[in-house]
Amino acid sequence: NAGVTQTPKFRILKIGQSMTLQCTQDMNHNYMYWYRQDPGMGLKLIYYSVGAGITDKGEVPNGYNVSRSTTEDFPLRLELAAPSQTSVYFCASRPTSYEQYFGPGTRLTVT
Amino acid sequence: ELKVEQNPLFLSMQEGKNYTIYCNYSTTSDRLYWYRQDPGKSLESLFVLLSNGAVKQEGRLMASLDTKARLSTLHITAAVHDLSATYFCAVDMSAGNTGKLIFGQGTTLQVKP
């Protein structure tokens, strides 16, 4: 199993550009999550999904969108990038038990 | 407001010493997690605590949960340099076990030889 994979690893965006962060898991987990981590801080939940076709907002959803058309994939969309979205983005997945498994992260800079 | 607070935020200690990291949270929950993060890396799960009085141990680390006090501790015994990292606690405050975690700010541990 590859676990949770994220692409790209790094990205620099200009203000106003759009992009999609990809997240895929091969563990057949129902639950998936997107977090952001600002420098020196803990993670904050952006969006989550409890299964294909079902998504909901977390703590900091503004400026982001998600979709979940398959169990494996949970892409995060930034429509109009702003400097405040400069962060490291982590995707995670979880089976019906409790522990979340994190991907390697995507480091995004918006200038 | 849902809050998770860790104390201390930074800890510099000598090898061989013991210390405790505290994690306080603001509302009822019986699901608490400890993670480790090395610089520039992702999060690694350390402990899952799912009931009042739960205690888990792995090597030099021991975690406990007191849901009545809304407090978890991560105790480090005889620290070694390899334990240098940032440690996060996270609390699941969702009503339906959806795994919506609220993270603490993290405690950066530096173990000096």
Side-chain angles (χ1 to χ4, degrees), chain B residues 11 13 36-39 80-87 108-112:
Chain B
L11 177 55
M13 56 193 296
R36 169 183 171 143
Q37 187 178 39
D38 293 307
V80 292
H81 180 68
D82 284 353
L83 290 179
S84 297
T86 298
Y87 294 85
T108 297
L109 173 65
Q110 183 182 75
V111 181
K112 297 179 179 177

Side-chain angles (χ1 to χ4, degrees), chain A residues 33-37 41-46 59 90 92 100 102, chain B residues 2-6 23-25 32-37 42-45 86-93 99-107:
Chain A
Y33 308 86
W34 274 106
Y35 295 91
R36 60 176 286 173
Q37 184 179 30
M41 303 294 288
L43 279 67
K44 290 190 186 297
L45 182 65
I46 305 171
E59 279 183 276
F90 290 101
Q100 294 188 22
F102 284 82
Chain B
L2 304 176
K3 288 176 80 170
V4 178
E5 294 184 333
Q6 290 182 232
C23 174
N24 291 274
Y25 54 98
L32 189 138
Y33 306 81
W34 284 96
Y35 290 92
R36 169 183 171 143
Q37 187 178 39
S42 185
L43 277 74
E44 173 191 353
S45 177
T86 298
Y87 294 85
F88 292 96
C89 63
V91 180
D92 186 349
M93 299 198 194
K100 293 171 64 176
L101 299 184
I102 307 291
F103 278 77
Q105 314 98 300
T107 297

